[in-house]
Amino acid sequence: MSHEHDNTQSVLRATLYLGVFLLLGAGVFARYVGLEAARAQPWRLWYLISGGFLLALGATLYGVYHVTWMLGDTSLMASYLLETRQGNLLLLRLGLLTGLLGLSMGWFRLDRWVYPPLALGLLLTLTFTSHAGAAGGLQPWADLLHLGFGVVWAGCVLALAVVWPGTRYEALMRALRRLSALGLLAVILVALMGTYLSWTRLGELSNLWNTPYGQRLLIKLALVALVVGVAAVNRLWLLPRLQAKRARGLQTVSLEAALILGVLVVSGFVATTEPPPPPGQAAPRLVNISETVGNQRYVGQLFSQAGLIHLYLDLRDTEGNLLEGGPALKVRAERGTEVREDALVPFYKSQYHSALIAEQQGVWEVTVELPGKTLRFALDVRR
């Protein structure tokens, strides 16, 4: 009975990154980088802002639904949002998304002063629901810088690629000069923070090609290298030709924007792939269960995924056939003062499933109470 990684989480994270980068990229571009171009093409930027808002909002809401569905009861959505740390962060994200949309629609004054803290808060909700947030230490702040400078550079490139058709030459050149100046610093900092985060999560260089996390990271790095190469062409070749009026259009900027979209999609899959365990990690992340009780056998898996502890069990006879029914079981998970419990009854014949929310990252003690026997496991839980 194999339970592979659920790609829904990866798709949702990729959609979230796309939405946030479109929303914040358009906002930063309109306020600080391409003011004149934004005034000339307000509807193009509005499509970008509203599209980014809907993508981020939809990914967050469906993510909440998906987690509670995995728990087996979607009526827990309100409890999950209000009573768990991760739910509180998602609830905060929904409020910040609404506030940022309101700023873009002109609902509030002091726009240029209010926008930066709201944007920073939104990025923090991404950081603290990621690998970096779970790891603690310097990683969350490195991840925040990585995201922040990525939005300033990559988000503004996406906005520029949308507004340049039909924009006056003077307005276009002002935006390009500002973006070129910001882009150099942003690319350097994004590269430094990305290198630090990758190294701390990989642990060993061989994990770059020997693990699913490293392999997906390699794809991302290849796309990033292409983006940086196109950005260098734009800075060293396109910008001087535009200044001399010997080039028309920003087709290479559009190519850069298309590659950035690819990077964001792959980033969603990297962010939801478990990094390799630290050297000497004692507790496993997946436990295969095969336990005989009398003339019956419990067969299944205990594993962690995206901050949840999953237990799947089948009760079978000596020939390996599912029984028509099974007794009530109990599963208990604890780490420090945090305790999670679930009473289990079969959801189909003699098949059981439990999913417990693990607020803390680290090793959890999991107890499964069978009739006449108690099983104990140590399980490493990470987001």
Side-chain angles (χ1 to χ4, degrees):
M1 181 171 56
S2 176
H3 303 281
E4 299 296 335
H5 177 76
D6 184 1
N7 281 328
T8 302
Q9 295 283 358
S10 300
V11 173
L12 289 173
R13 194 71 180 186
T15 304
L16 177 63
Y17 282 145
L18 286 172
V20 168
F21 271 66
L22 290 175
L23 174 66
L24 295 186
V28 171
F29 183 84
R31 287 165 179 81
Y32 311 106
V33 175
L35 292 77
E36 300 85 355
R39 293 193 190 103
Q41 304 285 352
W43 285 107
R44 288 177 181 266
L45 274 183
W46 171 240
Y47 293 143
L48 209 60
I49 289 168
S50 56
F53 170 80
L54 291 174
L55 286 173
L57 181 71
T60 301
L61 289 175
Y62 191 82
V64 174
Y65 169 81
H66 185 68
V67 167
T68 54
W69 175 79
M70 291 173 71
L71 289 169
D73 187 357
T74 55
S75 66
L76 295 173
M77 287 179 67
S79 298
Y80 174 71
L81 286 170
L82 295 172
E83 297 174 13
T84 68
R85 175 180 174 271
Q86 192 163 16
N88 293 162
L89 287 168
L90 298 182
L91 199 59
L92 175 62
R93 182 187 298 162
L94 294 174
L96 290 168
L97 285 169
T98 304
L100 288 162
L101 180 68
L103 283 176
S104 299
M105 294 184 68
W107 293 346
F108 311 105
R109 296 182 179 180
L110 302 175
D111 180 284
R112 289 170 62 89
W113 296 99
V114 176
Y115 192 87
L118 289 186
L120 186 63
L122 179 60
L123 295 178
L124 278 169
T125 68
L126 269 67
T127 289
F128 285 102
T129 54
S130 68
H131 293 316
L138 293 176
Q139 286 197 41
W141 310 112
D143 189 69
L144 181 62
L145 289 173
H146 186 69
L147 284 171
F149 284 102
V151 163
V152 170
W153 167 49
C156 286
V157 170
L158 293 173
L160 180 61
V162 169
V163 304
W164 75 261
T167 301
R168 290 184 303 105
Y169 171 82
E170 293 80 8
L172 197 61
M173 289 307 302
R174 291 191 189 98
L176 271 171
R177 291 190 190 101
R178 294 182 189 126
L179 183 55
S180 181
L182 282 173
L184 182 60
L185 175 63
V187 168
I188 292 172
L189 288 170
V190 166
L192 288 174
M193 295 302 104
T195 301
Y196 166 75
L197 290 168
S198 299
W199 180 251
T200 55
R201 292 169 193 169
L202 285 170
E204 298 178 1
L205 185 60
S206 60
N207 286 330
L208 190 58
W209 51 84
N210 289 334
T211 64
Y213 179 86
Q215 290 159 8
R216 290 183 171 183
L217 182 61
L218 271 176
I219 297 173
K220 177 182 175 179
L221 292 174
L223 286 172
V224 169
L226 288 174
V227 172
V228 172
V230 175
V233 170
N234 290 335
R235 179 180 176 85
L236 301 175
W237 179 83
L238 178 63
L239 184 57
R241 288 177 67 85
L242 284 171
Q243 289 173 332
K245 297 186 178 182
R246 289 186 287 115
R248 292 184 179 181
L250 300 180
Q251 287 81 4
T252 52
V253 172
S254 298
L255 174 60
E256 184 181 349
L259 290 170
I260 285 170
L261 292 177
V263 171
L264 294 176
V265 170
V266 175
S267 295
F269 283 79
V270 173
T272 51
T273 303
E274 297 295 341
Q281 177 68 55
R285 306 216 56 248
L286 182 148
V287 177
N288 291 309
I289 300 173
S290 180
E291 196 70 29
T292 300
V293 179
N295 61 351
Q296 300 171 342
R297 179 172 290 274
Y298 289 88
V299 182
Q301 288 183 338
L302 173 70
F303 63 97
S304 66
Q305 176 183 304
L308 297 178
I309 297 173
H310 288 276
L311 173 68
Y312 284 89
L313 277 180
D314 291 350
L315 179 56
R316 299 179 179 270
D317 62 21
T318 54
E319 297 180 354
N321 301 311
L322 278 174
L323 302 181
E324 288 301 317
L329 309 179
K330 184 177 179 180
V331 58
R332 175 186 174 92
E334 56 185 309
R335 185 175 191 273
T337 58
E338 189 175 352
V339 178
R340 297 286 184 267
E341 293 182 321
D342 193 12
L344 302 181
V345 294
F347 67 88
Y348 172 73
K349 290 190 175 182
S350 57
Q351 292 186 315
Y352 302 82
H353 173 231
S354 175
L356 305 173
I357 299 175
E359 288 287 340
Q360 301 180 49
Q361 176 181 263
V363 178
W364 285 66
E365 299 297 325
V366 181
T367 303
V368 182
E369 295 184 9
L370 309 176
K373 184 176 287 190
T374 299
L375 309 179
R376 291 182 172 82
F377 307 98
L379 189 70
D380 179 35
V381 178
R382 284 183 286 160
R383 294 187 179 88

